[in-house]
Amino acid sequence: MILVTGGAGFIGSHTCVELLDAGYEIAIIDNFCNSRPEVLDKIRTITKKDFKFYEADLLCREKVEQIFEENKIDAVIHFAGLKAVGESVSMPLEYYNNNITSTLILCQTMAKYGCKKIVFSSSATVYGDPASVPIKEDFPLHTTNPYGATKHMIERILTDLYVSDNEWSIALLRYFNPIGAHESGLIGENPNGIPNNLVPYIARVAVGKLECLSVFGDDYNTPDGTGVRDYIHVVDLSLGHIKAVEKVMATTGAHAYNLGTGTGYSVLDVVKAYEKASGKKVNYKIVDRRPGDIAMCYADPEKSKRELGWEAKFDLERMCKDSWNFTINNM
Ligand code: NAD
Ligand code: UD1
């Protein structure tokens, strides 16, 4: 059985669908601090399969131990964590406690029950402002905010764990910019309040809930002056987790993998693609740069292709189409 922490969240829910479709038995732990219980039924509807669910906080050691006591967990996919960069700057202690303490409790419990295989949700944020693109896994790591620091530290903790005990098998998955939704339109990304990230914001403008997108800067050293990112369909990303689970089940070691497409798109490219997919006008205005943003970030996905046998398949048009389908069904 695979334990999925944060399985009710955006990426976790899509990964649970792929795990169930691939025939895995799963248990989910989530405290719904950034998700909703309805997602669980939607996963059941899509897959026509059932799974165990624990509504609990990973910070609660007794509950985590109970899960390992009641189930034979073969591997863990660890999504649970807080992820808003701006919020992490204003609430660093919550971020360090929630993300790092919960990982320590999880790993201590795994060790106690002899489960030493883990796939961890890291982020391209660990590369900071890279000296060049595309970014390879051996580029230097550098983080500039508490959220990024938690990802960097957890990578370090897990790597040290492997050094101390070579029976561990650890995949550190560095996600680029996940967007899109399941093709059913049942699950997707629906942040509370005003979205921080580009595509959820564009979706709300297209559907008429927000008036105008602010494009953060058009004076970057990029083809059209707006920021360039490696947007990846959340279903492709989820399939990367299936490959990573297969890998950690078959080997030992601690390895980092980029999960990106290898292609960079600008903010204006995404606006255009979304307009095409939705048939709606996306109003935008150029405003100042957002502090902390970088010009360009896209992956070299070669290592993932070579070592995991994984490669992203969906293009930007499909990402926007699936995002729009989810938006009109849920907003
Ligand atoms: P999400 O917020 O949708 O999902 C996280 C889930 O974890 C939520 O359901 C939340 O309720 C749960 N959770 C958080 N803290 C918990 C705790 N202490 N105990 C139990 N459950 C808890 O986020 P997501 O976009 O699905 O991201 C999943 C992971 O991937 C996160 O670790 C995030 O930092 C990382 N990541 C996300 C992105 C992105 O753009 N979405 C990019 C890079 C990395
Ligand atoms: C953000 C996080 C990063 C995290 C990643 C994936 C910040 C500073 N960084 O990255 O740590 O790993 O999400 O979740 O929050 N943009 C606009 N207008 C908007 C929103 C965004 O122009 O309203 C632009 C940004 O300047 C950027 C691009 O769109 O060029 C993508 O932004 P966003 O979706 O927030 O992702 P990142 O900044 O890449």
Side-chain angles (χ1 to χ4, degrees):
M1 178 179 275
I2 312 288
L3 174 64
V4 184
T5 78
F10 172 46
I11 305 168
S13 59
H14 288 81
T15 302
C16 288
V17 166
E18 299 305 329
L19 285 166
L20 291 165
D21 278 352
Y24 287 97
E25 268 194 283
I26 65 170
I28 298 177
I29 172 171
D30 203 301
N31 64 358
F32 298 125
C33 68
N34 196 36
S35 52
R36 300 175 185 84
E38 302 86 83
V39 168
L40 303 174
D41 276 335
K42 291 180 176 172
I43 297 172
R44 292 188 182 99
T45 305
I46 294 169
T47 60
K48 302 188 178 62
K49 291 192 178 144
D50 205 359
F51 50 84
K52 281 203 170 174
F53 176 71
Y54 294 85
E55 181 172 353
D57 196 313
L58 267 182
L59 290 169
C60 176
R61 186 184 297 272
E62 293 69 35
K63 201 72 196 181
V64 178
E65 292 204 352
Q66 183 198 333
I67 298 173
F68 281 83
E69 198 61 55
E70 289 179 7
N71 304 282
K72 165 138 186 12
I73 306 295
D74 301 302
V76 176
I77 308 183
H78 181 30
F79 292 104
L82 300 175
K83 64 166 184 174
V85 174
E87 190 180 67
S88 80
V89 174
S90 53
M91 304 163 60
L93 299 182
E94 277 80 353
Y95 271 68
Y96 286 114
N97 189 40
N98 192 74
N99 292 4
I100 295 180
T101 313
S102 65
T103 303
L104 294 176
I105 291 173
L106 176 66
C107 291
Q108 285 165 341
T109 310
M110 290 175 70
K112 181 170 170 183
Y113 286 85
C115 171
K116 298 184 181 179
K117 297 181 183 301
I118 184 166
V119 174
F120 172 62
S121 299
S122 188
S123 166
T125 197
V126 297
Y127 296 115
D129 192 355
S132 63
V133 279
I135 301 169
K136 286 182 188 290
E137 286 83 351
D138 59 4
F139 275 26
L141 304 187
H142 173 74
T143 54
T144 54
N145 57 70
Y147 165 71
T150 68
K151 294 296 175 194
H152 190 177
M153 275 183 212
I154 295 169
E155 285 204 5
R156 189 65 200 275
I157 290 167
L158 292 173
T159 308
D160 287 343
L161 190 52
Y162 171 71
V163 170
S164 75
D165 175 355
N166 290 173
E167 286 180 4
W168 279 84
S169 186
I170 295 160
L172 310 170
L173 302 184
R174 296 178 180 156
Y175 310 157
F176 281 69
N177 288 56
I179 61 168
H182 191 262
E183 62 176 349
S184 63
L186 289 173
I187 54 173
E189 188 175 19
N190 195 358
N192 294 325
I194 295 180
N196 296 308
N197 295 112
L198 180 66
V199 172
Y201 202 108
I202 291 179
R204 281 187 170 62
V205 175
V207 83
K209 295 243 156 143
L210 289 172
E211 248 171 46
C212 182
L213 169 73
S214 294
V215 175
F216 299 141
D218 68 349
D219 56 352
Y220 285 106
N221 186 15
T222 61
D224 66 16
T226 66
V228 167
R229 298 290 184 273
D230 187 339
Y231 297 95
I232 174 168
H233 197 299
V234 64
V235 171
D236 271 333
L237 192 71
S238 300
L239 291 168
H241 290 73
I242 307 294
K243 295 291 188 184
V245 165
E246 288 169 6
K247 180 84 178 177
V248 296
M249 294 294 241
T251 53
T252 58
H255 301 286
Y257 298 102
N258 284 342
L259 295 188
T261 66
T263 304
Y265 287 104
S266 74
V267 175
L268 296 182
D269 289 334
V270 180
V271 168
K272 270 184 232 131
Y274 212 95
E275 285 183 331
K276 188 165 171 227
S278 64
K280 303 282 176 189
K281 180 94 189 82
V282 175
N283 294 320
Y284 71 85
K285 60 173 189 279
I286 309 290
V287 302
D288 286 347
R289 293 180 176 193
R290 179 170 64 179
D293 274 0
I294 57 176
M296 292 225 251
C297 175
Y298 58 90
D300 179 339
E302 233 5 79
K303 184 181 176 194
S304 297
K305 190 173 169 186
R306 200 174 56 242
E307 295 188 17
L308 298 178
W310 170 89
E311 164 173 39
K313 296 270 187 305
F314 295 122
D315 60 13
L316 183 63
E317 193 178 334
R318 176 65 185 270
M319 299 178 212
C320 293
K321 182 173 162 275
D322 287 338
S323 162
W324 179 240
N325 182 39
F326 174 76
T327 302
I328 51 178
N329 282 301
N330 295 276
M331 277 171 220

